[in-house]
């Protein structure tokens, strides 16, 4: 399989972030994405895509989302780049509390200036992680 372009990788990341199951055709690099039937019971609109994967499972590579631990590590790396000591400490404290993902997200959403930076950082880190996962498959 050829290396995916940045645009293709961004598309995979977007699909994964919205709860889709993603499969890459091993020869063509074509992306097939559909809602996870375990999470979304009404997947009739995607039956053709699901049938294709089921009929030819060896032709496709399933791309899974990152683990909670890996997502947590991305949040930690982002915090290390925050230039405000006060906000950095608030984020660190959030990660040390129960429900760290929810607390981190809330602080980011309320931060204004750091919100877009977080989204860009998370996307670039996720694309890099995805590149590494695909390289392991080759």
């Amino acid at each position: 399989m050829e290396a995916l372009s940045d645009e293709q990788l961004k598309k995979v990341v977007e699909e994964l972030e919205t709860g889709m199951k993603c499969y890459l055709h091993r020869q063509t690099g074509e992306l097939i994405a559909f809602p996870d039937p375990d999470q979304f019971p009404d997947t009739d609109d995607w039956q053709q895509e699901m049938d294709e994967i089921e009929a030819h499972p060896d032709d496709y590579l399933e791309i899974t989302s990152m683990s909670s631990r890996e997502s947590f590590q991305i949040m930690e790396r982002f915090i290390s780049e925050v230039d405000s000591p006060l906000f950095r400490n608030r984020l660190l404290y959030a990660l040390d509390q129960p429900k760290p993902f929810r607390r981190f997200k809330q602080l980011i959403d309320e931060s204004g200036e750091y919100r877009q930076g977080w989204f860009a950082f998370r996307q670039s880190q996720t694309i890099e992680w995805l590149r590494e996962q695909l390289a392991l498959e080759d």
Side-chain angles (χ1 to χ4, degrees):
M1 179 171 61
E2 288 185 34
L4 298 179
S5 70
D6 284 350
E7 287 306 312
Q8 290 171 306
L9 291 168
K10 284 179 187 176
K11 178 69 174 163
V12 171
V13 169
E14 289 171 7
E15 296 288 3
L16 290 172
E17 287 177 348
T18 60
M20 302 291 270
K21 290 190 72 120
C22 294
Y23 295 85
L24 275 179
H25 191 277
R26 293 181 187 275
Q27 297 300 320
T28 66
E30 173 194 8
L31 174 66
I32 293 182
F34 52 85
D36 185 344
D38 295 335
Q39 295 181 21
F40 306 98
D42 186 20
T43 57
D44 295 341
D45 292 344
W46 288 273
Q47 194 60 51
Q48 182 178 350
E49 289 86 348
M50 294 187 302
D51 290 345
E52 170 64 21
I53 300 300
E54 191 173 312
H56 308 283
D58 293 339
D59 292 346
Y60 292 90
L61 169 66
E62 182 176 5
I63 301 175
T64 58
S65 296
M66 91 178 33
S67 70
S68 296
R69 178 172 167 72
E70 291 162 324
S71 296
F72 192 88
Q73 289 170 337
I74 288 177
M75 292 188 301
E76 289 176 319
R77 285 195 295 271
F78 177 75
I79 291 171
S80 71
E81 296 194 4
V82 170
D83 57 358
S84 164
L86 178 62
F87 190 59
R88 187 171 47 243
N89 287 337
R90 290 181 69 204
L91 290 171
L92 285 168
Y93 181 76
L95 293 188
D96 200 31
Q97 298 300 304
K99 300 184 181 182
F101 289 92
R102 182 177 61 86
R103 291 175 187 273
F104 181 91
K105 181 185 181 312
Q106 183 177 0
L107 285 172
I108 290 294
D109 286 345
E110 294 170 355
S111 73
E113 65 183 290
Y114 292 103
R115 190 169 188 271
Q116 283 309 113
W118 161 244
F119 291 131
F121 183 84
R122 182 180 66 183
Q123 183 179 59
S124 70
Q125 292 288 301
T126 305
I127 286 172
E128 191 55 41
W129 172 85
L130 187 53
R131 272 195 189 101
E132 291 172 11
Q133 300 311 304
L134 293 174
L136 292 174
E137 292 295 327
D138 282 344

